[in-house]
Amino acid sequence: QVQVVESGGGLVQAGGSLRLSCAASGSIANYNVAWYRLTPGKPREIWARELVASITTGQTTDFGPFVKGRFTISRDDGTQTVHLQMNDLKPEDSAVYYCNVRDWFIVSGPGHIWGQGTQVTVSS
C-alpha cells in the first residue's frame, strides 16, 4: 500500500508563495493525487476537508473555486512526488493541507490514503 508524506508548509505573508510536496513511498503511476485542505473554522473530521487541486494519471488537473489561477499542481512519477505551487497566498488560505491518493478507476470523491498534513499560515 502506497503511503504519502507532505512537506513545505510554513508561515508566509499575504501575497507570498509556498511549494508543497507530497512524497510517496511507492509508485504513483496508477493513482490520481489531490491536495485537500482543512481550514480552522471547519470540523476536524475528514469529510470537512475541501479540494484544493488534483491531478490524474493522464495529467488532467482540477482546482477548487477559490484557487482562481493562483496555484498549479504537477507530478513527477520518476521521483514519486506531487507538488502544489501556491502563489499570491491570502489569509483565507491558512489551513492544514493534506495529500490524498486515489486509485485511477475511482470516479468521484477522495481516496482512502491520506498524509499527516502540513500547516500553512498566511498573515495579513
Side-chain angles (χ1 to χ4, degrees):
Q1 184 84 79
V2 65
Q3 299 180 36
V4 291
V5 177
E6 305 94 334
S7 62
L11 174 63
V12 297
Q13 292 186 321
S17 298
L18 282 174
R19 187 174 187 247
L20 306 185
S21 297
C22 172
S25 62
S27 174
I28 58 171
N30 298 125
Y31 295 96
N32 298 331
V33 182
W35 288 92
Y36 287 75
R37 72 185 189 186
L38 184 61
T39 55
K42 298 293 199 331
R44 302 295 89 183
E45 287 81 9
I46 290 176
W47 58 262
R49 300 175 183 180
E50 60 182 353
L51 178 69
V52 179
S54 64
I55 185 166
T56 70
T57 57
Q59 302 285 353
T60 300
T61 59
D62 189 32
F63 298 92
F66 50 84
V67 171
K68 295 181 173 65
R70 298 177 297 136
F71 302 169
T72 58
I73 185 170
S74 60
R75 64 188 294 154
D76 185 341
D77 291 352
T79 61
Q80 304 172 135
T81 306
V82 172
H83 301 287
L84 179 68
Q85 178 67 45
M86 303 189 294
N87 302 315
D88 192 26
L89 285 163
K90 305 177 184 300
E92 52 264 40
D93 293 319
S94 296
V96 179
Y97 284 71
Y98 298 90
C99 184
N100 177 263
V101 177
R102 188 182 74 189
D103 289 292
W104 67 270
F105 51 81
I106 297 177
V107 297
S108 65
H112 69 281
I113 301 173
W114 295 90
Q116 84 291 342
T118 185
Q119 176 71 52
V120 171
T121 303
V122 184
S123 62
S124 60

